[in-house]
Amino acid sequence: MNHTDFRPHPGRFRAALAAAAPQRVGTVTSVLGLGLEVSGLDCAVGDLVTVGEAPGLDAEVVASVSGAVRCMPLGRLTGVAAGDPARSKGAPILVPTGRGLFGRVLDGLGRPIDGKGPLPASPMVPLDNEAPSAMHRARVDTPLQTGVRVLDTMATLGRGQRMGLFAGSGVGKSSLLSMIARGTDAEVSVIALVGERGREVREFLEDDLGPEGLARSVVVVATSDEPALMRLRAAVTATRIAESFREADQDVVLMMDSLTRVAMAQREIGLSAGEPPATRGYPPSTFSVLARLLERAGTAETGSVTGIYTVLVDGDDHNEPIADAARSILDGHVVLDRKLAVTGHFPSVDVLGSVSRVASKVNSADRTALAASLRRVLAARRSAQDLIDVGAYHRGSNPLVDAALDNEAAINGFLQQSMDESTPYSESWPELFRLSASLEGAA
């Protein structure tokens, strides 16, 4: 017998010692409001801890004070009590990536919730990631087709642009997102439904997005009843998945509904961590979180993430804090008008209130002039609307107003579009050219 077979390998000693090393156990000292406090652990902000016995409740450290850390749960706090044990997980949060995610619906931590079984083996990447360097971003110089005429011509998006859809509730933001998901020429769509009503998730997936849109999309969902940290994590997880496709030199559309609910989730987290309320109850961290999240989209040296974020304006006030902060960071804004929506005008885009800051860089001079000519006619019509409503406008007073009135049906036909209709670039611009020719002839 070869007695050397019984000699222990040095590597086995190290593994055995690591497995036998005692794990430091902390204690829950208080459970208050939306969070809890743990003492006895050496943790940093962003670390994960497990509260209670296996499997336990996962929570993330959001603040560190003398001798204790404050945590926000990734699940319900029901059953958690002071005195429960807490252990540090000692590992970063990882999320799945890769083409195996197409057609799947995930929760805020990247776990499948669509009943289609486990995800196929795929690379896992850390959730946290740095935004591309400002000096190494490629310039936005290529248009992105959305299939929506009014966006493609009057507020043209570029690959790597970040655009906001600003509207009150029930004006058609989610429906417009679904049109873009089906009509875009981007290779990948990543959709984040943050704080969505549970009833509307299946409706969006089955009716608005449909099998065709879902087949090339990855959907991340955190409903309104989930903890604030899960809602925030859903936004970050979707962004990280989009970034992973960009790192593979692909062009991605990231659609998030809604950015306002992300801000509301961070408000809950910040206030629970002890931050003072600042602007309308939002703590200072809310605005820095929004800036970091939005800057992660855009172009890199290769590949792009075109971000489209809905912003739910409070009481149709487009100057409320979150809308104002988002507008200052984003590369353009599309305004959806409730007055148009109630008249059946869909998509209810207010052309004069919508601006794409890269439109002139991704469109030729001729196309830019076509869009400007229609804007002039619409602006003239709006300025004379009060006179028109009371019958005091006299034809011949303003040729642009006359052109708008004579071609009202044609203008509305161009700006409106049914949800199941997708118009490619090759048709949208010739239609605008013909419309502009009619307006010039009438003027």
Side-chain angles (χ1 to χ4, degrees):
M1 178 181 292
N2 186 356
H3 294 284
T4 59
D5 292 343
F6 297 96
R7 294 178 184 176
H9 192 276
R12 295 178 184 172
F13 270 127
R14 288 193 292 269
L17 288 173
Q23 185 180 19
R24 190 168 184 175
V25 180
T27 304
V28 176
T29 57
S30 68
V31 182
L32 181 64
L34 302 175
L36 50 90
E37 191 169 282
V38 176
S39 63
L41 289 181
D42 186 13
C43 295
V45 172
D47 287 353
L48 284 181
V49 300
T50 301
V51 178
E53 300 299 340
L57 170 69
D58 285 342
E60 182 176 326
V61 178
V62 297
S64 178
V65 295
S66 178
V69 291
R70 291 175 181 167
C71 306
M72 292 291 290
L74 290 166
R76 301 186 186 279
L77 281 173
T78 304
V80 177
D84 284 352
R87 298 172 176 83
S88 175
K89 299 196 76 168
I93 300 176
L94 301 177
V95 296
T97 61
R99 303 186 68 84
L101 301 183
F102 284 174
R104 301 303 302 268
V105 183
L106 315 176
D107 69 1
L109 297 179
R111 301 172 300 196
I113 57 174
D114 52 11
K116 297 180 180 179
L119 297 174
S122 58
M124 304 290 287
V125 296
L127 183 64
D128 291 329
N129 198 29
E130 294 293 329
S133 168
M135 298 306 297
H136 293 90
R137 288 181 183 266
R139 297 187 56 143
V140 178
D141 55 10
T142 305
L144 175 77
Q145 175 180 298
T146 66
V148 183
R149 283 191 301 269
V150 65
L151 296 184
D152 287 342
T153 56
M154 307 305 296
T156 309
L157 276 70
R159 293 183 184 272
Q161 182 179 2
R162 299 160 306 163
M163 179 70 86
L165 302 182
F166 291 73
S169 57
V171 186
K173 299 183 300 299
S174 299
S175 298
L176 183 55
L177 283 184
S178 67
M179 290 180 67
I180 296 172
R182 293 193 305 270
T184 180
D185 60 353
E187 300 168 87
V188 184
S189 295
V190 180
I191 304 172
L193 303 178
V194 181
E196 193 63 82
R197 303 175 187 89
R199 173 187 63 81
E200 293 184 343
V201 172
R202 284 191 62 184
E203 291 180 4
F204 177 84
L205 295 175
E206 297 173 4
D207 300 338
D208 294 346
L209 191 58
E212 179 184 351
L214 183 60
R216 60 170 179 167
S217 301
V218 183
V219 183
V220 181
V221 176
T223 53
S224 58
D225 62 329
E226 296 194 51
L229 193 58
M230 280 293 282
R231 283 177 269 141
L232 179 62
R233 280 288 163 260
V236 181
T237 295
T239 301
R240 187 66 187 94
I241 291 173
E243 288 173 321
S244 69
F245 286 109
R246 179 179 62 190
E247 291 163 1
D249 300 341
Q250 293 182 297
D251 294 310
V252 188
V253 170
L254 169 64
M255 290 171 278
M256 191 173 296
D257 185 15
S258 73
L259 192 65
T260 305
R261 295 192 183 107
V262 175
M264 289 178 175
Q266 179 58 33
R267 176 171 63 182
E268 294 179 30
I269 295 169
L271 293 178
S272 295
E275 283 190 79
T279 308
R280 292 200 189 179
Y282 288 99
S285 65
T286 301
F287 302 98
S288 62
V289 165
L290 289 182
R292 289 199 303 272
L293 183 66
L294 295 175
E295 282 296 332
R296 287 174 63 172
T299 58
E301 291 188 74
T302 58
S304 67
V305 174
T306 304
I308 302 176
Y309 305 87
T310 69
V311 180
L312 182 65
V313 293
D314 188 11
D316 290 339
D317 177 12
H318 290 263
N319 294 316
E320 58 92 23
I322 299 304
D324 203 37
R327 191 163 47 242
S328 69
I329 301 170
L330 296 169
D331 305 315
H333 53 275
V334 173
V335 176
L336 303 185
D337 189 344
R338 188 177 299 278
K339 293 179 180 178
L340 293 175
V342 298
T343 62
H345 187 291
F346 182 83
S348 53
V349 174
D350 177 7
V351 174
L352 298 179
S354 304
V355 175
S356 171
R357 296 179 181 175
V358 305
S360 61
K361 296 179 175 62
V362 300
N363 283 330
S364 65
D366 291 342
R367 288 182 171 180
T368 302
L370 285 176
S373 68
L374 180 54
R375 282 182 177 272
R376 284 193 297 270
V377 171
L378 294 174
R381 165 70 186 264
R382 178 172 293 183
S383 66
Q385 189 61 49
D386 290 342
L387 295 175
I388 296 171
D389 289 341
V390 299
Y393 175 75
H394 298 288
R395 285 186 175 273
S397 302
N398 188 330
L400 292 177
V401 177
D402 293 343
L405 294 174
D406 292 340
N407 294 273
E408 182 174 10
I411 293 173
N412 288 335
F414 177 78
L415 298 179
Q416 295 181 49
Q417 189 171 337
S418 63
M419 273 194 59
D420 56 357
E421 178 186 359
S422 181
T423 306
Y425 251 44
S426 58
E427 297 178 14
S428 295
W429 285 105
E431 285 189 37
L432 179 58
F433 177 80
R434 290 189 293 272
L435 177 60
S436 296
S438 299
L439 295 175
E440 290 176 4

